[in-house]
Structure formats: structure tokens, C-alpha cells
Amino acid sequence: MLDVTSSRSIVGAVLSVLVGAGMAVPANAGIKDEYERAQECDYSKAEYGSDVGVFDEVKVRFCISEDRRFVVYVMRSGKSWALPFDRDYRQAGVMSLNTIEDDKLVHYTKKKGVVDRVVLGRKRIERPVLY
């Protein structure tokens, strides 16, 4: 027979497994959603181009997701990733914010009470192809 202590341990273990399994599903769905969102941005059709000197020797362009919740960074090689747009987020212990000011995509960071503002890119304009 099981005593009271071991039955509590068994119940606790079962609950831990159930809670852990329930938490794994939303995390995977979030990663999949982020991957799909990042794939929506095409380098050649991106709204914003990287500003001079922001990304050394790497061409990066940016799209804003349709729901305006994410800014998608895309490289010429096709690699892309999404970060929150128009809301604060914390990355590596630094508060950050991506937003649009006029025709510029701006990234704000706050580290140790100091706020930095960097223009990531400017709105790309369609130029006619001249042959």
C-alpha cells in the first residue's frame, strides 16, 4: 500500500507533467508564428532600407507586419527575424522600442537610464527602371 507521503508525491508529479505539457504547446505556436511572420517580408519588396552605418557591410531591410505588431528584419541572403513594433520589449536586459517617425524606422534603447535613438532605416521609394 501507498502511504500518504508517496501518494502526494505521485499526484504532484502528475500535475507537474500536465502543467509542463500544457505550457510547451503555446511556446511552440509562438515560435512557428514568428517564423511565418518573418518569412512574409521579401527583401526586394521591403518598405524600409537600412540607414548608412547602422549595419556594417550587411544589407538589411525592414517590413512592418500587417497587424502592425512586429517589425521584420530581412537580409539579402533571405534570413529574417521579427521583433515587436510600437511597444516596449526587453532583450538581453535592455529595454527597446521600434517605431516610425515621419519616413524613418527608429530604434530606441534604454540601458542604465540612458536612452539611445538610432535611425535603422528610411522608407524606400519606388524608382523607375531606366534602360
Side-chain angles (χ1 to χ4, degrees):
M1 288 209 132
L2 294 174
D3 63 350
V4 175
T5 309
S6 61
S7 65
R8 286 183 187 163
S9 299
I10 293 171
V11 170
V14 169
L15 287 175
S16 296
V17 169
L18 291 175
V19 168
M23 294 182 107
V25 174
N28 290 336
I31 293 169
K32 181 181 177 190
D33 291 341
E34 182 176 336
Y35 174 80
E36 289 173 354
R37 187 176 300 110
Q39 297 305 309
E40 292 174 3
C41 186
D42 182 14
Y43 182 83
S44 62
K45 298 175 184 172
E47 269 183 281
Y48 295 87
S50 61
D51 215 11
V52 177
V54 176
F55 296 97
D56 296 332
E57 300 180 21
V58 177
K59 299 290 184 189
V60 179
R61 292 188 180 166
F62 312 94
C63 299
I64 308 299
S65 64
E66 287 185 24
D67 59 4
R68 300 198 52 87
R69 293 182 59 218
F70 295 91
V71 61
V72 179
Y73 291 57
V74 63
M75 296 172 59
R76 182 178 290 185
S77 65
K79 183 177 181 177
S80 57
W81 63 97
L83 291 174
F85 177 71
D86 253 352
R87 60 191 162 120
D88 295 341
Y89 66 96
R90 186 174 295 276
Q91 184 177 22
V94 177
M95 287 295 294
S96 297
L97 170 73
N98 293 306
T99 190
I100 294 177
E101 295 175 358
D102 299 323
D103 64 342
K104 299 173 189 143
L105 180 63
V106 181
H107 178 77
Y108 287 96
T109 57
K110 182 177 180 181
K111 186 174 183 180
K112 296 183 180 179
V114 178
V115 177
D116 287 326
R117 178 185 182 269
V118 176
V119 176
L120 290 179
R122 300 178 192 282
K123 188 134 183 131
R124 295 178 62 222
I125 53 173
E126 291 296 322
R127 296 182 182 170
V129 178
L130 302 174
Y131 293 99

